[in-house]
Short mmCIF file of all heavy atoms in Angstrom, two decimals:
data_model
loop_
_atom_site.label_atom_id
_atom_site.label_comp_id
_atom_site.label_asym_id
_atom_site.label_seq_id
_atom_site.Cartn_x
_atom_site.Cartn_y
_atom_site.Cartn_z
N ILE B 139 1.85 20.07 -29.32
CA ILE B 139 1.95 21.22 -30.25
C ILE B 139 0.78 21.21 -31.22
O ILE B 139 0.11 22.23 -31.41
CB ILE B 139 3.30 21.17 -31.01
CG1 ILE B 139 4.47 21.43 -30.05
CG2 ILE B 139 3.30 22.19 -32.15
CD1 ILE B 139 5.84 21.15 -30.65
N MET B 140 0.51 20.04 -31.82
CA MET B 140 -0.58 19.96 -32.81
C MET B 140 -1.94 20.22 -32.17
O MET B 140 -2.82 20.82 -32.78
CB MET B 140 -0.57 18.58 -33.49
CG MET B 140 0.59 18.37 -34.43
SD MET B 140 0.66 19.63 -35.74
CE MET B 140 2.31 19.37 -36.37
N THR B 141 -2.11 19.75 -30.92
CA THR B 141 -3.36 20.01 -30.24
C THR B 141 -3.53 21.52 -30.00
O THR B 141 -4.61 22.08 -30.17
CB THR B 141 -3.41 19.25 -28.89
OG1 THR B 141 -3.16 17.86 -29.16
CG2 THR B 141 -4.77 19.39 -28.21
N ALA B 142 -2.42 22.18 -29.62
CA ALA B 142 -2.48 23.62 -29.32
C ALA B 142 -2.79 24.44 -30.57
O ALA B 142 -3.52 25.44 -30.50
CB ALA B 142 -1.18 24.08 -28.69
N VAL B 143 -2.24 24.05 -31.73
CA VAL B 143 -2.44 24.86 -32.94
C VAL B 143 -3.59 24.33 -33.81
O VAL B 143 -3.92 24.94 -34.83
CB VAL B 143 -1.16 24.94 -33.81
CG1 VAL B 143 -0.03 25.59 -33.04
CG2 VAL B 143 -0.74 23.55 -34.29
N GLY B 144 -4.18 23.19 -33.43
CA GLY B 144 -5.25 22.61 -34.25
C GLY B 144 -4.70 21.93 -35.50
O GLY B 144 -5.35 21.93 -36.54
N GLY B 145 -3.50 21.36 -35.40
CA GLY B 145 -2.89 20.68 -36.55
C GLY B 145 -3.24 19.21 -36.58
O GLY B 145 -4.01 18.73 -35.73
N PRO B 146 -2.68 18.46 -37.57
CA PRO B 146 -2.98 17.03 -37.71
C PRO B 146 -2.26 16.18 -36.64
O PRO B 146 -1.12 15.78 -36.84
CB PRO B 146 -2.45 16.69 -39.11
CG PRO B 146 -1.43 17.74 -39.39
CD PRO B 146 -1.79 18.97 -38.63
N VAL B 147 -2.97 15.90 -35.54
CA VAL B 147 -2.37 15.23 -34.38
C VAL B 147 -1.89 13.82 -34.72
O VAL B 147 -0.74 13.46 -34.43
CB VAL B 147 -3.39 15.16 -33.22
CG1 VAL B 147 -2.82 14.34 -32.06
CG2 VAL B 147 -3.74 16.56 -32.75
N ALA B 148 -2.76 13.02 -35.36
CA ALA B 148 -2.43 11.61 -35.59
C ALA B 148 -1.23 11.47 -36.52
O ALA B 148 -0.31 10.69 -36.26
CB ALA B 148 -3.63 10.88 -36.17
N LEU B 149 -1.23 12.24 -37.62
CA LEU B 149 -0.11 12.17 -38.56
C LEU B 149 1.18 12.61 -37.90
O LEU B 149 2.23 11.98 -38.07
CB LEU B 149 -0.40 13.08 -39.77
CG LEU B 149 -1.14 12.46 -40.94
CD1 LEU B 149 -1.51 13.55 -41.94
CD2 LEU B 149 -0.29 11.40 -41.62
N ALA B 150 1.12 13.70 -37.13
CA ALA B 150 2.32 14.21 -36.47
C ALA B 150 2.85 13.17 -35.48
O ALA B 150 4.05 12.95 -35.39
CB ALA B 150 2.03 15.53 -35.78
N ALA B 151 1.93 12.52 -34.75
CA ALA B 151 2.35 11.49 -33.79
C ALA B 151 3.04 10.35 -34.53
O ALA B 151 4.10 9.87 -34.10
CB ALA B 151 1.14 10.98 -33.02
N ALA B 152 2.45 9.93 -35.65
CA ALA B 152 3.05 8.83 -36.42
C ALA B 152 4.44 9.20 -36.94
O ALA B 152 5.37 8.40 -36.87
CB ALA B 152 2.13 8.46 -37.59
N PHE B 153 4.59 10.44 -37.43
CA PHE B 153 5.90 10.86 -37.94
C PHE B 153 6.95 10.92 -36.83
O PHE B 153 8.11 10.59 -37.04
CB PHE B 153 5.78 12.21 -38.65
CG PHE B 153 5.03 12.13 -39.95
CD1 PHE B 153 4.29 13.20 -40.41
CD2 PHE B 153 5.07 10.98 -40.71
CE1 PHE B 153 3.59 13.12 -41.62
CE2 PHE B 153 4.38 10.89 -41.91
CZ PHE B 153 3.64 11.97 -42.36
N SER B 154 6.53 11.34 -35.64
CA SER B 154 7.48 11.38 -34.52
C SER B 154 7.93 9.97 -34.13
O SER B 154 9.12 9.72 -33.93
CB SER B 154 6.86 12.08 -33.31
OG SER B 154 6.77 13.46 -33.52
N VAL B 155 6.96 9.05 -34.05
CA VAL B 155 7.31 7.67 -33.68
C VAL B 155 8.22 7.06 -34.74
O VAL B 155 9.26 6.47 -34.42
CB VAL B 155 6.03 6.81 -33.51
CG1 VAL B 155 6.40 5.35 -33.32
CG2 VAL B 155 5.22 7.29 -32.32
N LEU B 156 7.86 7.23 -36.02
CA LEU B 156 8.67 6.68 -37.11
C LEU B 156 10.08 7.26 -37.09
O LEU B 156 11.07 6.54 -37.29
CB LEU B 156 8.02 6.98 -38.46
CG LEU B 156 6.95 6.01 -38.94
CD1 LEU B 156 6.37 6.50 -40.27
CD2 LEU B 156 7.56 4.62 -39.11
N THR B 157 10.18 8.58 -36.87
CA THR B 157 11.48 9.23 -36.82
C THR B 157 12.34 8.64 -35.71
O THR B 157 13.54 8.39 -35.91
CB THR B 157 11.29 10.75 -36.60
OG1 THR B 157 10.62 11.28 -37.73
CG2 THR B 157 12.63 11.45 -36.44
N GLY B 158 11.72 8.40 -34.56
CA GLY B 158 12.46 7.79 -33.44
C GLY B 158 13.02 6.43 -33.82
O GLY B 158 14.20 6.13 -33.57
N VAL B 159 12.19 5.62 -34.47
CA VAL B 159 12.63 4.27 -34.86
C VAL B 159 13.73 4.35 -35.92
O VAL B 159 14.78 3.70 -35.80
CB VAL B 159 11.42 3.45 -35.39
CG1 VAL B 159 11.89 2.12 -35.96
CG2 VAL B 159 10.41 3.22 -34.27
N ILE B 160 13.51 5.19 -36.95
CA ILE B 160 14.51 5.35 -38.02
C ILE B 160 15.84 5.83 -37.44
O ILE B 160 16.91 5.30 -37.74
CB ILE B 160 14.00 6.36 -39.08
CG1 ILE B 160 12.83 5.75 -39.86
CG2 ILE B 160 15.12 6.79 -40.02
CD1 ILE B 160 12.10 6.76 -40.74
N GLY B 161 15.76 6.84 -36.57
CA GLY B 161 16.97 7.40 -35.98
C GLY B 161 17.72 6.39 -35.15
O GLY B 161 18.95 6.26 -35.26
N ALA B 162 16.99 5.66 -34.31
CA ALA B 162 17.66 4.68 -33.45
C ALA B 162 18.29 3.56 -34.27
O ALA B 162 19.30 2.97 -33.88
CB ALA B 162 16.68 4.11 -32.43
N LEU B 163 17.69 3.25 -35.43
CA LEU B 163 18.25 2.21 -36.29
C LEU B 163 19.48 2.70 -37.07
O LEU B 163 20.44 1.96 -37.24
CB LEU B 163 17.19 1.72 -37.29
CG LEU B 163 16.09 0.79 -36.77
CD1 LEU B 163 15.03 0.57 -37.84
CD2 LEU B 163 16.68 -0.56 -36.35
N LEU B 164 19.43 3.95 -37.56
CA LEU B 164 20.45 4.40 -38.51
C LEU B 164 21.52 5.32 -37.93
O LEU B 164 22.66 5.29 -38.38
CB LEU B 164 19.78 5.12 -39.69
CG LEU B 164 18.78 4.30 -40.51
CD1 LEU B 164 18.24 5.13 -41.67
CD2 LEU B 164 19.44 3.03 -41.05
N VAL B 165 21.14 6.19 -36.96
CA VAL B 165 22.10 7.21 -36.50
C VAL B 165 23.36 6.61 -35.87
O VAL B 165 24.47 7.05 -36.19
CB VAL B 165 21.40 8.23 -35.57
CG1 VAL B 165 22.41 9.10 -34.85
CG2 VAL B 165 20.43 9.10 -36.38
N PRO B 166 23.25 5.60 -34.99
CA PRO B 166 24.48 5.04 -34.42
C PRO B 166 25.42 4.52 -35.51
O PRO B 166 26.63 4.73 -35.44
CB PRO B 166 23.97 3.91 -33.52
CG PRO B 166 22.58 4.30 -33.16
CD PRO B 166 22.04 4.99 -34.38
N ALA B 167 24.86 3.88 -36.55
CA ALA B 167 25.68 3.37 -37.65
C ALA B 167 26.34 4.52 -38.41
O ALA B 167 27.51 4.45 -38.78
CB ALA B 167 24.83 2.52 -38.59
N LEU B 168 25.58 5.60 -38.63
CA LEU B 168 26.11 6.77 -39.34
C LEU B 168 27.30 7.37 -38.56
O LEU B 168 28.35 7.69 -39.14
CB LEU B 168 25.02 7.82 -39.51
CG LEU B 168 25.44 9.11 -40.20
CD1 LEU B 168 25.55 8.90 -41.71
CD2 LEU B 168 24.47 10.24 -39.92
N PHE B 169 27.11 7.51 -37.24
CA PHE B 169 28.19 8.07 -36.40
C PHE B 169 29.44 7.19 -36.46
O PHE B 169 30.56 7.67 -36.54
CB PHE B 169 27.72 8.19 -34.95
CG PHE B 169 26.81 9.37 -34.71
CD1 PHE B 169 25.95 9.38 -33.62
CD2 PHE B 169 26.83 10.47 -35.54
CE1 PHE B 169 25.13 10.47 -33.38
CE2 PHE B 169 26.01 11.56 -35.31
CZ PHE B 169 25.15 11.56 -34.23
N ARG B 170 29.22 5.86 -36.45
CA ARG B 170 30.34 4.94 -36.49
C ARG B 170 31.06 5.05 -37.84
O ARG B 170 32.28 5.13 -37.92
CB ARG B 170 29.84 3.50 -36.28
CG ARG B 170 30.75 2.64 -35.41
CD ARG B 170 30.15 1.27 -35.13
NE ARG B 170 28.78 1.35 -34.60
CZ ARG B 170 27.73 0.72 -35.14
NH1 ARG B 170 27.86 -0.01 -36.22
NH2 ARG B 170 26.54 0.84 -34.59
#
Side-chain angles (χ1 to χ4, degrees):
Chain B
I139 292 169
M140 289 303 166
T141 306
V143 298
V147 175
L149 271 172
F153 290 149
S154 287
V155 172
L156 275 177
T157 296
V159 173
I160 291 169
L163 284 172
L164 300 182
V165 167
L168 179 77
F169 283 158
R170 219 175 308 126

